[in-house]
Amino acid sequence: MNAREGDVLILAPLGRDAKIAASILAQSGISTQICKTLDDVVATLETARCLVVTEEALLNADRTALAAWLDMQPAWSDYPVILLVMRETEFDKRLNFLDRHLIVLERPFLASSLVNSVRSALRARSRQLEVKSYIEQKQEVADRQKLLIRELRHRVKNTLANVRAMMSATARTSGRVEDFVRDFSARLVSLADTHSILTDYYWQTASLRQLLEGELRHYDTSGSSRVVLEGLDVALVADIAIPVGMAFHELASNSSKYGALSRPKGRLEVSWSIERVGDHRVVALHRREKDGPAVLEPKRKGPLARYCWKKLSPYSAKRRSIWSTTPMGCSSTWSFRCEIPGSSLLTHRDDATTSILSSG
């Protein structure tokens, strides 16, 4: 037997008491559930709001389960019980376990007396449930605060590690203090931009397109778009987004010094595709420079590049990096697993598959 939320349970097995009580309450708009046994009552107490029970129904049944249930209530709960007793009779001490929760109503009673008693019990139960809700909400806030503190500790630690790696890499490649200040400041700004994007998405994911636009937009010229992005927008988890942003900052910076973006007509194209390899989705990023000077594949990675690859290594796909050169530029392809659900594709519009960054 399952009581509806808000039902008043009635246990009065003798005569027509149960039907009469239910009829009186129904006329006042109070829903009821008539129970046949005390076991039925105990089974439905969790969902019902109060219990109307006759004295003889309790005395003639095993009260152990009911007494245990009432005794095990949480601190916020004081389940209301309306006990129907015969007028001018002594209270049976075997029912003392009801003392905390009891409203006694002598029979015969007026219909209004029963209705008022039940309404009083329902109001009391409603206030108890409000207290329960408040306690649960307060606990949820406390749990979330603990989670946020742990997450903040983790993020601060990672951020400081990124800053330290950038500082060390910049110091190794800078010949002068002025060069160090310039390059280190630019890298800090790039890292801050990535953090801003992550913050907009509650530090869960970052838009790959938005990330690339932020890193590459200022390399565009007013005459024509020199940077082209192509691919469906995909969300990257924070642990991937940060090293990807750092890596593209370095690639664009090097291109502006030595590659296609160092020439007035040079162009940089970045495209990506999403493939499924086994149980994983793989994002393949392809960078191509056009109309730039001839460049050679670097014999070794710089310190910051090595750091970025180290951060991405847990997500790297088998075909990790492919490099090729042409007389007018270079291209590279690198892939990594994207450990995010398929719904993370942020846009599916046809006009989103190709984006040329606007000037200015």
Side-chain angles (χ1 to χ4, degrees), residues 5 49 76 124-134:
E5 184 72 26
R49 294 296 182 93
W76 58 265
R125 191 59 178 172
S126 294
R127 288 192 293 268
Q128 295 169 25
L129 294 174
E130 289 173 2
V131 172
K132 175 192 176 185
S133 178
Y134 172 77

Side-chain angles (χ1 to χ4, degrees), residues 339-350:
E339 304 286 0
I340 48 181
S343 60
S344 61
L345 286 175
L346 298 183
T347 179
H348 300 276
R349 304 192 320 270
D350 292 338

Side-chain angles (χ1 to χ4, degrees), residues 58-277:
L58 294 178
L59 294 176
N60 296 329
D62 184 355
R63 300 172 295 278
T64 305
L66 176 62
W69 190 93
L70 294 174
D71 188 59
M72 294 297 293
Q73 293 181 91
W76 58 265
S77 179
D78 188 7
Y79 198 88
V81 178
I82 300 173
L83 182 64
L84 304 181
V85 301
M86 297 304 298
R87 191 180 300 273
E88 299 179 356
T89 58
E90 291 291 330
F91 183 77
D92 196 305
K93 293 182 179 180
R94 289 175 291 178
L95 303 181
N96 283 342
F97 69 93
L98 295 174
D99 185 52
R100 286 181 53 227
H101 324 278
L102 195 58
I103 300 174
V104 177
L105 189 61
E106 293 184 338
R107 294 176 289 180
F109 50 78
L110 296 175
S112 58
S113 298
L114 176 62
V115 171
N116 291 337
S117 297
V118 169
R119 282 178 173 168
S120 177
L122 292 175
R123 285 194 298 269
R125 191 59 178 172
S126 294
R127 288 192 293 268
Q128 295 169 25
L129 294 174
E130 289 173 2
V131 172
K132 175 192 176 185
S133 178
Y134 172 77
I135 293 173
E136 290 175 344
Q137 291 175 9
K138 193 173 181 180
Q139 185 61 47
E140 288 177 2
V141 170
D143 291 343
R144 181 163 180 79
Q145 186 177 35
K146 291 179 182 178
L147 176 63
L148 290 175
I149 290 174
R150 290 197 299 268
E151 183 69 14
L152 179 61
R153 186 186 300 120
H154 171 71
R155 295 302 174 189
V156 169
K157 183 178 179 180
N158 282 353
T159 299
L160 291 177
N162 291 333
V163 172
R164 181 179 180 182
M166 290 191 303
M167 180 181 68
S168 176
T170 308
R172 293 179 191 177
T173 56
S174 299
R176 301 179 304 163
V177 173
E178 292 81 0
D179 295 336
F180 173 83
V181 172
R182 182 196 64 226
D183 294 342
F184 186 56
S185 297
R187 286 165 174 168
L188 279 179
V189 170
S190 171
L191 181 62
D193 290 342
T194 301
H195 278 219
S196 295
I197 296 173
L198 286 167
T199 302
D200 290 341
Y201 291 93
Y202 302 98
W203 207 270
Q204 298 298 315
T205 59
S207 160
L208 175 59
R209 179 179 295 278
Q210 189 177 354
L211 194 67
L212 296 177
E213 286 179 350
E215 294 295 346
L216 304 176
R217 180 182 290 110
H218 56 279
Y219 292 106
D220 246 358
T221 60
S222 57
S224 61
S225 292
R226 307 176 63 198
V227 180
V228 177
L229 301 181
E230 184 176 356
L232 286 173
D233 203 359
V234 62
L236 303 180
V237 295
D239 290 341
I240 295 179
I242 291 175
V244 166
M246 293 170 63
F248 266 91
H249 172 80
E250 295 304 306
L251 290 172
S253 178
N254 289 337
S255 179
S256 69
K257 296 175 183 176
Y258 317 111
L261 294 181
S262 67
R263 299 289 179 87
K265 295 184 179 180
R267 288 163 55 86
L268 173 63
E269 297 178 352
V270 181
S271 61
W272 60 93
S273 60
I274 304 167
E275 307 168 3
R276 184 169 294 280
V277 178

